[in-house]
Amino acid sequence: MTVSVTFNEEKVAEQAAETAARLVSEGVPEALAKGDPTLWGPEAQAEATVRLGWLNLPRTSGELLPEIGKLVERARAQGLDHVVLAGMGGSSLAPEVITATADVPLTVLDTTDPGQVRRALEDRLDRTILVVASKSGGTVETDSHRRIYEKAFRDAGIDPAERIVVVTDPGSPLEQTALESGYPVILADPNVGGRYSALSAFGLVPSALAGADVEKLLDDAAAVQPLLAQTEGNPGLDLGAALGAAAVSGRDKLVLEDSLSEINGLPDWIEQLVAESTGKQGKGILPIVGAEPGEAPDELIVGIDSDGALAVGGPLGAQFLVWEYATAIVGRILGIDPFDQPNVAESKKNTAKLLARPELPVGAPILVDGPVEVYGELPGSEVPKDLSDVFTRLLEAIPSRGYLAIMAYLDREAAFDAPYAEGASFEEMTDAWSAADPATLRAQLTLRTERPITFGWGPRFLHSTGQYHKGGPQNGVFLQITGAVDEDVEVPGKPYTLGRLQLAQALGDQGALARRGRPTVRLHLTDRAAGVARLLAVAREV
């Protein structure tokens, strides 16, 4: 079974057909399938030359399967059934989708929140195997996780070399660290960018250790690969032409709907792929994940095995490859390089500079509303009178073709600690969790505006939509949420804790957005549980 692209809206079908015909006349499908790096112009050629290895992963990654199989056998023999993945962005999003779809457990650490990391540490450490995955080998979050787990293993009398597996690019600092420490290393193809690495070692190693059938994943991708060189019946061309043509015509908000799909969580992976690949030079497509489709004229609804202006069906491995191909096609249509991420490094540099200071420059709040402190500048000259006024003015500040991004630097699993009555039904438990979940704020504010609202967990989104926020169209409004840390986690060998790193990341990104004149407000919860409750209570009344 391969991938099908079904058009359910005549205008979208017509635009896609016209665009696809033009691309065919230019020889694009065959050239892309062959890995031609000139397709995105002379400025992008150098980057594209070393970023097209993903086209061959269905075949080349098969060579890794015996080595991966040995790791799996060793882990099973040692009774290591708690697989933890320390990775960010492209190193974590694909394994999260693969394992969720296969219904096998994987603990993903793509956070610097002390509570979330501590929760993972306290869960079956004696049966834990840690996959440390970083393409560059210098990702600050992943490096912190490695250091923390090394100490935890040693403190428990466990040799880290028996529990840590490394996935990285050849020659990276992480490879050298792994070799010195005696950790097994599986090297990924260096000619594959992070967000295109789903079918590489970054996607396969943690997924296989967790119990997913990664050989089938590659087989499904291999089945669709020959179609990508065709001028007709090419799902990658059809999808890319549809997305690109829609964006050019003004429908640049990509609403991803997957409620009927057996694939679990694919929109989260697509979000990074599309946002980070296209959001630059003031252009781009903004994916909207986990929201009800609206009726805004700039929205394009795409269903994963479900309804939409177009629907994309097929097995996960094939979907990975087709969406990557389609995104590369979109890059040509929009006239941008789909393989670089020029604005991602800015927030990282800001964070490093802030961490070097004796104290983080948090500034003074412009408003305190119970357990919520408000920082930043709101549109208008008057100081907000209360939190309801803050929400109202942020919503009013969204441009006619803009969006609001909520970015929560918090523990994304904390809501599951919310109390509920003994004997509660699943629906009652779900209600309790929702009432304690910062993500519920998006749903509540969506009722107050016709514009799309995105939600991202920090710093996870910095490796995803963060590029679009800073490099895409100048039409975003940004709401950060940070929280006080009651019990911090030291990062061994570093002069900072996770809590300090987390706050520095928020402040660093806030500075990057503010320098671009993009409205940014930070809400700091002096008590996290009470603060979330306050935010949701006020949002209901806006």
Side-chain angles (χ1 to χ4, degrees), residues 145-162:
H145 299 149
R146 174 185 61 81
R147 292 169 180 270
I148 290 166
Y149 264 89
E150 284 175 340
K151 182 178 186 302
F153 284 137
R154 292 192 183 101
D155 288 349
I158 299 170
D159 182 359
E162 295 293 319

Side-chain angles (χ1 to χ4, degrees), residues 23 35 71 158 235 237 240 255 294-295 364 369 408 419 444 463 475 478 504 526 529:
L23 292 169
L71 285 177
I158 299 170
L237 175 63
V255 181
E295 298 181 357
D369 189 323
Q444 292 180 342
H463 299 257
N475 59 11
F478 302 93
T526 53

Side-chain angles (χ1 to χ4, degrees), residues 111-115 117-118 140-141 144-145 148 351 355 360 485-505:
T111 180
T112 46
D113 187 83
V117 172
R118 200 169 53 250
V140 65
E141 300 94 339
S144 299
H145 299 149
I148 290 166
T351 297
L355 287 173
L360 295 179
V485 173
D486 295 328
E487 188 177 348
D488 214 338
V489 176
E490 298 285 337
V491 180
K494 293 293 183 179
Y496 49 79
T497 62
L498 284 183
R500 180 176 167 86
L501 173 58
Q502 183 183 44
L503 182 56
Q505 289 176 311

Side-chain angles (χ1 to χ4, degrees), residues 137-465:
T139 309
V140 65
E141 300 94 339
T142 306
D143 178 68
S144 299
H145 299 149
R146 174 185 61 81
R147 292 169 180 270
I148 290 166
Y149 264 89
E150 284 175 340
K151 182 178 186 302
F153 284 137
R154 292 192 183 101
D155 288 349
I158 299 170
D159 182 359
E162 295 293 319
R163 299 300 189 87
I164 295 178
V165 174
V166 166
V167 181
T168 190
D169 274 8
S172 78
L174 181 57
E175 181 193 13
Q176 185 61 37
T177 296
L179 294 174
E180 294 171 354
S181 303
Y183 303 153
V185 183
I186 293 189
L187 296 176
D189 186 338
N191 294 320
V192 177
R195 57 188 177 274
Y196 291 81
S197 66
L199 299 171
S200 76
F202 288 105
L204 303 184
V205 172
S207 301
L209 284 168
D213 184 351
V214 296
E215 184 174 1
K216 182 179 185 303
L217 195 77
L218 294 177
D219 288 344
D220 288 338
V224 79
Q225 190 175 19
L227 302 180
L228 301 182
Q230 297 181 179
T231 58
E232 293 184 8
N234 181 336
L237 175 63
D238 292 342
L239 179 58
L243 298 179
V248 170
S249 71
R251 296 175 71 173
D252 58 359
K253 310 299 186 300
L254 174 62
V255 181
L256 295 162
E257 207 284 319
D258 69 337
S259 60
L260 301 178
S261 178
E262 294 182 0
I263 299 175
N264 196 335
L266 185 60
D268 288 304
W269 176 81
I270 295 172
E271 179 181 48
Q272 184 204 15
L273 175 69
V274 172
E276 197 169 61
S277 297
T278 69
K280 56 200 74 168
Q281 299 176 25
K283 306 175 184 179
I285 296 174
L286 177 65
I288 313 294
V289 177
E292 291 294 326
E295 298 181 357
D298 55 345
E299 292 183 353
L300 176 71
I301 302 171
V302 175
I304 308 299
D305 293 320
S306 60
D307 294 334
L310 66 154
V312 185
L316 180 56
Q319 291 251 15
F320 279 145
L321 189 60
V322 166
W323 277 96
E324 289 166 348
Y325 182 103
T327 301
I329 290 287
V330 171
R332 180 177 171 92
I333 294 170
L334 296 185
I336 51 92
D337 178 355
F339 305 114
D340 69 350
Q341 48 281 331
N343 304 112
V344 168
E346 182 179 353
S347 291
K348 295 180 182 179
K349 292 177 181 177
N350 289 351
T351 297
K353 291 177 182 177
L354 290 171
L355 287 173
R357 300 176 62 161
E359 298 290 337
L360 295 179
V362 294
I366 59 174
L367 170 71
V368 177
D369 189 323
V372 181
E373 297 175 342
V374 182
Y375 296 83
E377 295 184 9
L378 282 163
S381 58
E382 296 181 0
V383 174
K385 58 181 182 291
D386 54 25
L387 191 55
S388 178
D389 191 26
V390 171
F391 287 149
T392 298
R393 288 165 63 175
L394 282 174
L395 293 172
E396 290 175 346
I398 304 174
S400 60
R401 296 185 53 80
Y403 65 100
L404 171 66
I406 303 175
M407 306 161 290
Y409 291 81
L410 300 169
D411 179 350
R412 65 170 167 150
E413 298 175 356
F416 295 114
D417 296 331
Y420 48 83
E422 185 176 350
S425 66
F426 181 73
E427 183 178 351
E428 290 169 332
M429 293 164 60
T430 301
D431 288 343
W433 296 331
S434 178
D437 190 351
T440 303
L441 181 63
R442 189 259 289 273
Q444 292 180 342
L445 293 181
T446 295
L447 298 174
R448 276 80 184 168
T449 179
E450 296 180 352
R451 300 308 307 149
I453 299 178
T454 65
F455 183 92
W457 295 102
R460 169 185 169 118
F461 80 87
L462 290 175
H463 299 257
S464 178
T465 51

